[in-house]
Amino acid sequence: MEKRDLEKEFLDMVRQYGRIIYKVSSFYIDEKTSLEDMYQEIVLNLWKSYPSFRGESIHSTWIYRVALNTCVSYYRKEKRRPSFVDITYVAEKDDSENSDIVRELYALINGLGKMERALVLLYLEDRPQKEIAEIMGMTVTNVSTRLARIKEKLKQMSNH
Amino acid sequence: MDLEEVKKIWQEADSLKEQKRISDERIKNMLKNEGKSALDKLINTARNYTNMMIPLGIIICVFSYRFFEAGGLYPVCPLAMLLMCILLEPFEIYLYRLLKGIDYSTMTVREVNSRILKYQSIVKRWEFYGIAIFIVYMAIWYYLYYKLIFGDEIVWWFIIFTAAVYVAGIIAIPKLYKKLYYDNINKIKENLKELEEFE
């Protein structure tokens, strides 16, 4: 397949599944890593793997896997960044209570480990446990157990 | 916080809803940074270390030509460094292959995390021991060089200069270790512990 056709196909895919990339990125930003950094890293790694993606899994599963692998393993010394592309989203202004709860979640997930965040995100995204186990490299039983512990941990963190 | 409740809210109320999607133009601009991802940078660094290890040993031998001219036990010093570089080469190749073998699209999160943490853990420990070995080696090298050039003569400016460099190094080393080693290795240990809990 010509590179131009591949690029067009890839852009269509990012357009369709860009929200997954955004959500995964948003779970892993911190004072050293911006949303733009993480988003771009994920897009680069998706592009790198795209030519060999043969549809063995559905697109969304593949994207979750690459995106989470990117974020969980991300390490870059501050001065060595490629020029990033600004992707500031203009979120709708939402002062509802639901929005406060989601904001609280983001504050709490900073206290979780990288693997725990991945589990929480996949759970919130309502992925089947079998799929979560496949992406994470865990057994289904282990996924269930870990999620129960994380739920308890978040409750305790929230109460403090 | 009840995660079950949050899940319902997450699914229903979309607080991450964007008014604009990222344009194709912006994505294309991102793709121009192909080959510059964090993992690509790590792989390139590992490859560079693999390529420069033995040449580094040879360069030190070249700069130490006076040692070879003097003969006796003097050449042992630069040759020891060359030998260490040769012995380290398979180790550098191992680290390079550890990173090169990472495939984000087929490996699980646990597998990728395990490899990256293994790499970081090895590199950070090596930085710790490497700096110490390098300082001791350079002290020996300078001492031998001094004996070769000046013999038994006391050359104060050289002694003071070398002493000043070493004192500055001794003061800077604890700070350097903290920055390079302790802070990073503690974070790596934390992540390794989390990984073990997931097994």
Side-chain angles (χ1 to χ4, degrees):
Chain A
M1 188 182 266
E2 275 191 31
K3 193 169 181 182
R4 196 180 290 179
D5 292 334
L6 199 67
E7 196 177 274
K8 187 182 176 305
E9 217 179 81
F10 181 78
L11 290 172
D12 290 341
M13 187 201 69
V14 172
R15 212 178 297 121
Q16 188 179 356
Y17 295 102
R19 290 183 48 67
I20 294 178
I21 303 171
Y22 185 81
K23 286 186 217 178
V24 175
S25 306
S26 67
F27 254 55
Y28 286 91
I29 55 176
D30 56 29
E31 64 276 356
K32 286 183 187 173
T33 312
S34 69
L35 184 67
E36 288 85 358
D37 282 339
M38 206 54 97
Y39 196 104
Q40 182 160 272
E41 279 293 311
I42 295 171
V43 167
L44 285 175
N45 285 320
L46 284 169
W47 175 237
K48 190 176 170 183
S49 314
Y50 193 66
S52 58
F53 174 63
R54 292 276 179 272
E56 291 94 353
S57 57
I58 56 172
H59 272 103
S60 57
T61 306
W62 176 71
I63 290 170
Y64 276 119
R65 185 192 291 264
V66 174
L68 287 170
N69 273 335
T70 303
C71 293
V72 165
S73 63
Y74 183 75
Y75 172 74
R76 186 192 289 279
K77 292 183 182 177
E78 277 193 53
K79 289 179 185 173
R80 297 183 201 160
R81 284 178 169 150
S83 54
F84 68 77
V85 178
D86 180 21
I87 59 148
T88 311
Y89 272 77
V90 180
E92 280 184 359
K93 197 174 173 192
D94 183 354
D95 296 325
S96 68
E97 191 187 319
N98 287 345
S99 183
D100 288 341
I101 291 171
V102 173
R103 265 194 280 274
E104 188 190 347
L105 171 73
Y106 275 102
L108 288 175
I109 60 166
N110 281 327
L112 297 179
K114 288 184 170 186
M115 305 268 291
E116 286 176 325
R117 288 188 215 190
L119 263 186
V120 168
L121 178 67
L122 290 169
Y123 171 75
L124 291 175
E125 290 284 283
D126 203 25
R127 308 315 294 176
Q129 288 214 341
K130 189 165 176 262
E131 186 181 324
I132 297 176
E134 191 192 301
I135 292 170
M136 295 297 295
M138 298 161 66
T139 62
V140 172
T141 314
N142 205 356
V143 166
S144 206
T145 310
R146 293 302 314 178
L147 274 172
R149 286 187 195 165
I150 291 167
K151 283 177 190 174
E152 196 47 47
K153 190 173 174 179
L154 284 171
K155 264 191 199 150
Q156 286 173 7
M157 283 163 69
S158 176
N159 291 336
H160 281 109
Chain B
M1 159 161 289
D2 186 340
L3 202 60
E4 300 278 352
E5 291 297 317
V6 176
K7 185 176 176 179
K8 285 179 199 162
I9 295 164
W10 183 273
Q11 295 285 317
E12 289 165 8
D14 200 340
S15 66
L16 294 175
K17 194 173 185 176
E18 70 277 13
Q19 290 179 346
K20 297 178 189 174
R21 293 194 180 278
I22 296 175
S23 67
D24 284 0
E25 214 46 54
R26 284 183 173 175
I27 300 291
K28 281 182 187 174
N29 283 334
M30 286 184 193
L31 299 186
K32 286 176 186 169
N33 285 313
E34 188 175 0
K36 293 181 189 172
S37 70
L39 182 62
D40 290 329
K41 290 275 187 179
L42 276 184
I43 291 171
N44 287 338
T45 303
R47 183 179 30 235
N48 289 339
Y49 280 133
T50 308
N51 291 339
M52 75 179 203
M53 191 53 61
I54 293 175
L56 179 68
I58 294 170
I59 286 167
I60 288 173
C61 285
V62 167
F63 275 110
S64 310
Y65 73 93
R66 299 289 287 257
F67 290 61
F68 291 97
E69 280 178 353
L73 287 175
Y74 280 97
V76 172
C77 184
L79 286 175
M81 179 54 83
L82 178 60
L83 181 66
M84 193 164 80
C85 290
I86 291 169
L87 291 174
L88 279 175
E89 182 67 8
F91 176 70
E92 293 293 342
I93 293 172
Y94 164 74
L95 286 179
Y96 170 70
R97 285 186 178 164
L98 188 67
L99 290 177
K100 196 87 171 100
I102 291 175
D103 184 342
Y104 284 162
S105 67
T106 57
M107 285 181 166
T108 65
V109 172
R110 226 166 41 85
E111 282 171 328
V112 168
N113 200 20
S114 174
R115 282 198 181 216
I116 290 285
L117 287 175
K118 196 173 183 178
Y119 173 82
Q120 287 177 342
S121 177
I122 291 169
V123 165
K124 286 301 162 195
R125 283 177 208 283
W126 178 243
E127 279 175 3
F128 177 77
Y129 294 115
I131 290 172
I133 290 168
F134 179 74
I135 288 168
V136 169
Y137 178 79
M138 287 312 296
I140 295 168
W141 192 92
Y142 265 108
Y143 171 74
L144 292 174
Y145 187 77
Y146 180 90
K147 289 299 259 182
L148 266 179
I149 304 299
F150 303 112
D152 292 329
E153 188 186 342
I154 295 174
V155 180
W156 285 111
W157 69 262
F158 188 88
I159 293 170
I160 290 168
F161 172 75
T162 308
V165 167
Y166 274 93
V167 165
I170 285 164
I171 292 168
I173 280 164
K175 288 184 182 157
L176 198 63
Y177 270 174
K178 185 175 187 312
K179 189 173 183 301
L180 284 180
Y181 181 70
Y182 290 116
D183 291 348
N184 285 321
I185 205 76
N186 283 337
K187 187 73 192 161
I188 292 165
K189 278 183 183 170
E190 229 175 81
N191 290 332
L192 279 168
K193 191 175 166 218
E194 191 201 11
L195 186 64
E196 276 167 30
E197 286 169 4
F198 271 72
E199 284 169 2

